[in-house]
Amino acid sequence: MTEETKHQTEDVATVSGGAAVESVSRIDRDEARAAMQALSEFNIPAQLRDHLALFVRLERRVLREYDEEICNIFDRLLASVIAANEGDPGAEAAADPTNEEGVPTTQSATADAFRDAVELIDSLPLDRAQVIVRAFTTFFHLANLSEENYRVEKLRRRESEVSIDSPVDPANELTVAYRQLIDEVGVGRANELLNRLEFHPVFTAHPTEARRKAVEGKIRRIARLLAERSRLGGSDLMENERHLLQEIDALVRTTPIAPKKPTPVEEADTIIDIFDNTLFDTIPMVYRRFDDWVLGDRAGTVPPVCPAFFHPGSWIGTDRDGNPNVTAKVSRQVAAKFASHMISALANKCRRVGRNLTLEAKYTKPTDELLNLWNHQVEMSEILTDRASMISKSEPHRAVMLVMAARLDATVARNADTMYDSADEFLADLRVVQRSLAEAGAVRAAYGPVQTIIWQTETFGFHMVETEFRQHSVVHERALADIREHGVHGERGELAPMTREVLDTFRAMGSIQKRYGLKAARRYIISFTKSAQNVADVYELAQLAFAHAEDVPAIDVIPLFEQLEDLEGCVDVLDGMLQIPAVQKRLAQTNRKLEVMLGYSDSSKDAGPTTATLALHSAQARIAAWAERNNIDLVLMHGRGGAVGRGGGPANRAVLAQPKGSVNCCFKLTEQGEVIFARYGNPALAQRHVESVAAATLLNSAPSIERVNTQTTEEFADMAARLNEVSHQTYLDLLNTPEFTPWFSTVTPLTEVGLLPIGSRPAKRGLGAKSLDDLRTIPWVFSWSQARINLAAWYGLGSACEALGDLDLLRRAYAEWPLFSTFIDNIEMSIAKTDGRIAKMYLALGDREDLAAKVFEEMQLTRTWTLAITGNAWPLEKRRVLGRAVRVRNPFVDALSLAQVRALREVRMNQDELSEEAKAEFMSLILATVTGVSAGLQNTG
């Protein structure tokens, strides 16, 4: 019996005298029945269906309380879009004739249902349409939580089934990867690779998640209520349901659109929120789980095996490429915000650990080293040690830790007399405490709670995230030209504001380094790196920014290769870099460690997804070979987005498909938008994600993986070249069609996406171009996904496969070549979220039948070939949970898409007739649907 049916009862309460009182309905059976009926057509796991049905039931009740008619509209619209999605409407759309608005005119059950949905949406007054859009958007947030909860429970079930006598924990991929490495290369070499392991996600503030902070808070509370629901009964269950209804009601009534764009300083709250809710406690648990399995019953009593391999970075408040809102002042503010929060978190943790170290000195004798540390603390400040002095003789470890916590408080307050100068100084004190405990036999305290805070300090330092500065190469060129003409201090005329800002940026880096340590701000990324001179420019500007050479900060300049021609010529640029004296000096300081960044976004937008994928793979292989020739310890950074058109997809599979030598035990990538919340918002899923990516990063060095990647890349090189040639030309033919850019702006909500208050960054870089070239990849991808076309992810592949014409070869490549398999699977996921009928309605907004036909025909062709290669009848057929979850979501997304295209049509077609008030209302509706579709499709930007 499911949760939704077992509670469908009416109870009779009795008073103490036994007399029956009026029957009280505990749950609305009609609502429950309607909810289950709405989901009965979908073949999904029972637990997931139960939770979805629960949320449909609760939302219907909220809507009914709000307005009976609104609930009826919700029911009618939901019934229509579900009926319209029966069978395989994506395949049927190709042959369906349409009217001038792109609505199918064929006579069939699904087409009739689709028209019913269109007519219902079109008939709604704007105020009712807004409420319906909010209702469907709310459901997506609830559906995301249902899927998240199901994944967590599934992970826990898997974990519970593992025997502690097993040589590996199948639910912990990192232990599996480590065991495979031992089998292939031996314990010694496996441990060398383990100690080199690094997973370095870099969090960015790109506006791919259109979700308010106020909405996030409600979602977190609902998630907690859902998680505890299975353990409750009776009055507790009723209270849980009342609270759920309260939060869902508030969610429906809350506008999904923030009142203003966030500032870069406010955007930093995204990382702080993830840090507080997940990372600070979850990351040491990842290390601990590995130790538990590898060390067995010795875990927590001996020094740990697992290194602190997780090192997060950030571009928030430091990425100034095209964002005038990011200034040197902002960078200082953001770094200070991160650091003060981080140090406070360590202070609280240190205080909690210290308070529990009530180990009496008589039985846990302190070392001389610990007593010397205490005496040093007394000499430093009697005020700090006064409170702890009473316990210093009886519980010295506790006393020392409490003073250390007080010193951390002083560090936040910038008290020069007692503050820690660096995280390394604090870490050294922690190790004194740990050694003293271990020598006294209190190994469980030493390698338990004290080790946890050591791991946290090693992972996050005092900086929380390693900030990375980024600027466009052209800005540097212009700044140097300005300085050469007018002097570094404007002796021969005033410097341009941008030049002064560039110099201030390096001063900000120096200031942050001095205050929070080298790791807090040592990386400087150059967008659109074209030559080694671009790298030399940065080092020259850094020198010019300071009057005294000793004040110049240590800087690791990272070239970013993102356009096709730059990827092809990257090795020549790297050869030139090695000739720059500043680079040579820095390599000597870092033991020849060098970072190189590859941009997935712009390469895909400029050359098409197939060409970009192959070009990036080739560049990685050539850079890895270059690094080996030049004795460079290489770190490749992957500038990926959440959407497939920006390099998105499962990160662990992407790592395992990388060329030999390109991973080098370190995987660094950008994490953006809704992907941050999806991967790191839930502690259990964050733990799983980190373990999975770390496992793949470690395993990429296994000889078997290196051999497969190398051999299959060579074996299918000819096929790849043929696919590349046709797909690239097909893609360029589309982009080079006259008046393509204005047509693209018309058939997608590109303009409206730029108006969303979802990020501090403008949609354009602002360097003067006025074409598609200057459009950021994010709105390019985001707009196509909103139109349910996802063109950026697949365009050109269908024509390439058609020209190749060898299905057997493609299927063999899919089965054997990790890169091609990952690529096709990502495209299949993207196609699963398209809708041919709705795409036709968006394409009908333009007046170019030739472009509309070109796009739609390529979409259908790519769909046909992708399904043929994977052997699926419909997209994601073999992905039991994901495939069915997408099919459940699609009807709900359709409802929002129909509302969006209706509003776009009114704005596009009746621009001159609409009053300003009407335009504003339609614009508000469009923006509301954008947030809903984004929540429904998930990896959209």
Side-chain angles (χ1 to χ4, degrees), residues 11 231 299 482 489 553 593 601 619 702 778 805-806 902 923 941:
D11 298 334
R231 303 189 297 272
D482 191 17
H489 301 296
K593 193 166 192 171
S601 302
I778 294 165
D806 191 337
R902 173 232 176 153
M923 192 64 67

CSV table of all heavy atoms in Angstrom, one decimal, residues 11 231 299 482 489 553 593 601 619 702 778 805-806 902 923 941:
chain,number,residue,atom,x,y,z
A,11,ASP,N,-11.0,9.4,10.2
A,11,ASP,CA,-10.9,8.9,11.6
A,11,ASP,C,-12.1,9.5,12.4
A,11,ASP,O,-12.6,10.6,12.2
A,11,ASP,CB,-9.6,9.3,12.3
A,11,ASP,CG,-8.4,8.7,11.5
A,11,ASP,OD1,-8.6,7.7,10.9
A,11,ASP,OD2,-7.3,9.3,11.6
A,231,ARG,N,9.3,8.8,8.7
A,231,ARG,CA,9.5,8.3,10.1
A,231,ARG,C,8.3,8.7,11.0
A,231,ARG,O,8.4,8.4,12.2
A,231,ARG,CB,10.8,8.9,10.6
A,231,ARG,CG,12.0,8.6,9.8
A,231,ARG,CD,13.3,9.0,10.5
A,231,ARG,NE,13.4,10.5,10.8
A,231,ARG,CZ,13.9,11.3,9.9
A,231,ARG,NH1,14.4,10.9,8.7
A,231,ARG,NH2,13.9,12.6,10.2
A,299,ALA,N,40.7,2.7,11.5
A,299,ALA,CA,40.3,4.1,11.2
A,299,ALA,C,40.0,4.9,12.4
A,299,ALA,O,39.3,4.4,13.3
A,299,ALA,CB,39.1,4.1,10.2
A,482,ASP,N,47.4,52.7,-23.2
A,482,ASP,CA,47.0,53.9,-22.5
A,482,ASP,C,48.2,54.4,-21.6
A,482,ASP,O,48.5,55.6,-21.5
A,482,ASP,CB,45.8,53.7,-21.7
A,482,ASP,CG,45.2,54.9,-21.1
A,482,ASP,OD1,45.5,56.0,-21.6
A,482,ASP,OD2,44.3,54.8,-20.2
A,489,HIS,N,51.1,57.0,-14.0
A,489,HIS,CA,50.4,57.8,-13.1
A,489,HIS,C,49.7,58.9,-13.7
A,489,HIS,O,49.3,59.9,-13.1
A,489,HIS,CB,51.4,58.4,-12.0
A,489,HIS,CG,52.2,57.3,-11.2
A,489,HIS,ND1,51.5,56.4,-10.4
A,489,HIS,CD2,53.5,57.0,-11.2
A,489,HIS,CE1,52.4,55.6,-9.9
A,489,HIS,NE2,53.6,55.9,-10.4
A,553,PRO,N,52.3,41.0,-6.1
A,553,PRO,CA,51.8,39.6,-5.6
A,553,PRO,C,52.3,38.5,-6.6
A,553,PRO,O,52.6,38.8,-7.7
A,553,PRO,CB,50.3,39.7,-5.7
A,553,PRO,CG,50.0,40.7,-6.8
A,553,PRO,CD,51.1,41.8,-6.7
A,593,LYS,N,54.6,23.8,-12.0
A,593,LYS,CA,53.2,23.6,-12.1
A,593,LYS,C,52.6,24.7,-13.0
A,593,LYS,O,52.8,25.9,-12.7
A,593,LYS,CB,52.5,23.5,-10.8
A,593,LYS,CG,51.1,23.0,-10.8
A,593,LYS,CD,50.7,22.6,-9.4
A,593,LYS,CE,49.4,21.8,-9.4
A,593,LYS,NZ,49.0,21.3,-8.1
A,601,SER,N,32.2,26.7,-23.7
A,601,SER,CA,31.0,27.5,-24.1
A,601,SER,C,31.2,28.2,-25.4
A,601,SER,O,30.5,28.0,-26.4
A,601,SER,CB,30.7,28.6,-23.0
A,601,SER,OG,30.5,27.9,-21.8
A,619,ALA,N,42.8,19.3,-28.4
A,619,ALA,CA,43.6,20.2,-27.7
A,619,ALA,C,44.2,19.7,-26.4
A,619,ALA,O,45.3,19.9,-26.0
A,619,ALA,CB,42.8,21.5,-27.4
A,702,ALA,N,44.8,5.0,-14.4
A,702,ALA,CA,44.9,3.6,-14.5
A,702,ALA,C,45.3,3.2,-15.9
A,702,ALA,O,44.8,3.7,-16.9
A,702,ALA,CB,43.6,2.9,-14.1
A,778,ILE,N,26.0,32.0,-22.5
A,778,ILE,CA,24.9,31.6,-21.6
A,778,ILE,C,23.5,32.0,-22.1
A,778,ILE,O,22.7,31.1,-22.2
A,778,ILE,CB,25.2,32.2,-20.2
A,778,ILE,CG1,26.4,31.6,-19.6
A,778,ILE,CG2,24.0,32.0,-19.3
A,778,ILE,CD1,27.0,32.4,-18.5
A,805,GLY,N,26.6,7.9,-43.0
A,805,GLY,CA,25.8,6.8,-43.5
A,805,GLY,C,26.1,5.4,-43.0
A,805,GLY,O,25.7,4.5,-43.6
A,806,ASP,N,27.0,5.3,-42.0
A,806,ASP,CA,27.4,4.0,-41.5
A,806,ASP,C,27.0,3.8,-40.1
A,806,ASP,O,27.7,4.1,-39.2
A,806,ASP,CB,28.9,3.9,-41.6
A,806,ASP,CG,29.4,2.5,-41.5
A,806,ASP,OD1,28.7,1.7,-40.8
A,806,ASP,OD2,30.6,2.2,-41.9
A,902,ARG,N,2.8,32.1,-25.9
A,902,ARG,CA,1.6,32.9,-26.1
A,902,ARG,C,1.9,34.4,-25.8
A,902,ARG,O,1.6,35.3,-26.6
A,902,ARG,CB,0.5,32.5,-25.1
A,902,ARG,CG,-0.7,33.4,-25.1
A,902,ARG,CD,-1.1,33.9,-23.7
A,902,ARG,NE,-2.2,34.8,-23.7
A,902,ARG,CZ,-3.1,35.0,-22.7
A,902,ARG,NH1,-2.9,34.2,-21.6
A,902,ARG,NH2,-4.0,35.9,-22.7
A,923,MET,N,5.3,41.0,-20.2
A,923,MET,CA,6.8,40.8,-19.9
A,923,MET,C,6.9,40.1,-18.6
A,923,MET,O,7.7,39.2,-18.4
A,923,MET,CB,7.5,42.1,-19.9
A,923,MET,CG,9.0,42.0,-19.9
A,923,MET,SD,9.6,41.3,-21.4
A,923,MET,CE,9.2,42.5,-22.6
A,941,GLY,N,21.5,26.0,-18.6
A,941,GLY,CA,22.4,27.1,-19.0
A,941,GLY,C,23.9,26.8,-18.8
A,941,GLY,O,24.3,25.7,-18.7
